[in-house]
Amino acid sequence: MTKRILKLVFILGLFVLNGTAQNSYTLKNQDIEFSVDRQGNLVSFINLQTGQNYASGKPMWRLYFDREGEIEIQVLAKDNQPTIQQKGDEISFVFNNLKTKNETLKFALTLKMTLEQNCIRFSSEITNNEPHTIIRELQYPLVANIQIPDDHKLLFTQKGGHIYLDAKKKILSQDYSYRGPDHHFRSLNVTYPIGVAANCYALIGEEQGLYFGSHDPIFQFTCHGVRLYPDVNGNFDELETGLYKYPNCQFGESWKNNTNVVAPYNGDWHQTSKLYRAWADTWWNHSEPPQWVKEMVGFQRMILKHQNGEKLFTYDEFATRIKKAGESVGIKTAFPFGWWNSGMDNGYPDSYFETDPEQGGDKAWKQAVADYQKDGGKVIMYYNGKLIDKESNYYVNGEGKEVCYRNSSGTEMNEAYKFPGEGTFSGDFNPRSFVVAVANDPRWHQQLVKMADHAFELGANCVFYDQMGYAESTTNWDRSKEFPVPDLRVIANKAEAMRKIHDYIDARDKEMAIGVEWITDVTSQTVDFVHGIFGTGTSATGNSHTNFIDWFRYTFPEIIITFRDLDGNETDVEWQSNRAAMLGLRANVQTFRLRGLIDETPRLQQHLAKVNLLIEKYKSFLLLGTYRDTEGFTNDNNMVEARSYTNGNQMAIVMTHKSNKTLSARVNVPGYRYLESAGIGETKVENQSNVSIGENGLLVLVYEKETD
C-alpha cells in the first residue's frame, strides 16, 4: 500500500512539473530568474545579482493581421489561453488558433522562452491557415508596466547613440498624433535600420540595466517599441518595452524567428555594447582601410556648382584657394560636391560623366585633382548610390523605371531635393524629383561599378556613395501574392552592394578607398569610413543633449567616422571640436552648408587648427589606436569629460569640458606610469595625476604599462 501511495505521489509530482497543474513556470540560473503564470503573463524577470524585478504580471505579446478592407486587426494575449509546457531551460506557449473579441482565427502560434547564459531568448513560430488574411506584425517579447529604478535611462542607437534621461517624460512631451491612437497609448519607437545604427536598445542605470537585442543575421526591419499606457486612473504612467517583428505571413505560409533576446545585466551602459558586439563578432568582417584613411584627420567639403546653377568655386580654385583653406587647419583631404556640369543633385546618374565644358571639361577637372594631390593631398569623389533623377536619360530612356522602388500599389517611390537660391521660388515650387534604386538589382550594380571606374579615371583616391549607409522608411514592395509585402532587408542589400564594390575596387587598387553616408552596423563593416550624421552632444550624465555617439564608438572602435554637424557659425565651436577630437571623430570641415570655406569662419579656423595639430602629435592613439571610452582609468570630476585610447603597451587619455571656468580633476591609471602630456588652451598637469583645464582647453596625457 505504501509503495502504491509513493508511486502516485511521484506521478502527481511529474504531472505538476510538466505544467498542467502548477501556477507558474520558472527559468533560473545564478544571474536570472524568469517566470510566467498559467495565463502566460510575465510575473518575474529578476536580476538575481541586484534583486531588481522588471516584470509586473502583464502579457508578453500581441499580434496584428490584415484582411481586405481592414488593416492592423489586433489579437491580444489576454484573449487567448496558451497550452504551456516546460522542458529543462525552455518554456513554450502553444496556441492552435487565436481569438479576437469577435472571432476565432486559424492562426497557429508557438512562443518559446529559452534560458541562456546571460539572457532569455524569445523564439516564435507562426502558421497562417486563415484564408484571405496576412499576419503583418508580432510584438514579442513585451515587458509591460516595466518596473525600473529611478536612475534608468532609455538608450537607443539612433545615429550611433541616443539617450533619453526620462523615457516617460520624453514620451509625454511629444505632440499628440492627429492620426494615431493616442487615447490608447503613447509611443516612442525607432525602427532598425531607419537611422538606427544597431539592432538593440536598453534601459541603462549606473550599476545595472535591461538590454533588448534582435540578433538577426539577415538584418530585417525591427521596431524597438516603447509605449506608455494609462494606469487604472487613466494617467499615462505604465511603461512597456518590447521588440516588434514583421512576419508578413500569408495564407498557407509559416514564419519563424529566434533572434530576440532580453538580458538583465550588471554594470553601466558599456555592458550593452559588449552584449551586442559578442553577437556581431559572429558575422563581422571589416577589412583594413588604406593607411591614408586611418591617418586622415578629416576632410573639407564644398559644392563647386549648386543645383540652381550657381558656381561657388571653379576647377582652378580647387588646388589653390580650396587646398589652402584646408591646409590652414591641417586638413589635406578634399571632398568636393557638384563638380559635374549640371550641379549638385541634378541628373543622377548620368550627370557625373559630364564635367563643365566651359572650364575645360574632363581634362581640366583631372588636372585640378592631380594638382590638389601634390604634396600628399587626397581627393574623395562624390556619387549618389541610390538616386535616379526622373529627368535623366537613364530614367527616361533607360533602366531607371525598372530598377526603382515601388510601393504597395506599384507606384514609384519619389524623393524631392531642393536647394533654394537667394529668392524663394526654386525652394518652394521647383524641387528635383528622384526615384530610389533597388540596391541589389544587378542592373543598378553596374551603375555603381561605372561610378567606381569613373573615380579611377578621374584619378581620385576614394569613391564615396552617398545615402548607402541607411535604409529608407519606405521600401520596395513585392506585389506577386494576394497581399503585397515590403522588402525588409534593405540594409542587408545595401551592405552586400557595398561589399561587392569594395571587392571590385580592392582588385584594382587597395589604396583606393570607399565611403558611405550614415552609420549602420552591417554597412559600416563594408567600407573604409562612414560620414556620420549626429551632434556631439554631451555625456550620458549630461542634461542638455541626448546625442550619444559614444555607444557606437565603443562598440565598433575600428570604424572611422566623421563628425558632420559643425558648420562653422555655431556658438560653441570650441566645445564641439574638442569633444569630437576626444571621441576620435574625424573633422568634417564645411562652411555655410558647403557654400563657403573655413577661412570665412576665423573663430573655428583658429581653434580647429590647434586641435588638429594636437591630434597629429598623438595620432598613434587618436587616429591609429583603439578607442576604449572610459575604461582603464578613473576621473574624479564628472564635469570633466575624458576618454582613453590604447596602442600596444601605452594608453592616452583625452580630457576636455564645457564649463566657462577652469576645472580640476585627478586621474588614476592603474598599472600604468605617466610619460608626457600636451594640450591646447590653459592646461596643466601636476604630480602626474592632478590636471587643470581652462575654458575651451583640450588635454592629452600619455601613459605606459608598468613592468615587473
Side-chain angles (χ1 to χ4, degrees), residues 12 27 70 88 122 253 298 323 364 391 434 474 523 625 664 701:
L12 288 173
L27 305 174
E70 190 175 5
F122 295 87
E253 294 181 346
K323 185 176 182 179
E391 294 182 25
F434 299 84
T474 304
T523 51
S664 298
L701 304 98

Side-chain angles (χ1 to χ4, degrees), residues 473-486:
S473 57
T474 304
T475 180
N476 198 39
W477 288 65
D478 179 359
R479 301 174 65 244
S480 64
K481 298 181 180 180
E482 181 178 8
F483 293 89
V485 297

Side-chain angles (χ1 to χ4, degrees), residues 531-547:
H531 187 35
I533 297 183
F534 48 83
T536 54
T538 183
S539 69
T541 57
N543 296 312
S544 59
H545 297 281
T546 59
N547 301 303

Side-chain angles (χ1 to χ4, degrees), residues 389-406:
D389 192 323
K390 295 185 74 170
E391 294 182 25
S392 68
N393 183 63
Y394 182 73
Y395 179 86
V396 175
N397 300 309
E399 302 164 338
K401 297 185 183 71
E402 301 171 14
V403 303
C404 64
Y405 286 3
R406 293 183 181 273

Side-chain angles (χ1 to χ4, degrees), residues 338-355:
W339 43 264
W340 46 95
N341 186 45
S342 60
M344 185 65 189
D345 282 351
N346 260 326
Y348 303 159
D350 305 330
S351 56
Y352 307 120
F353 309 101
E354 299 173 4
T355 48

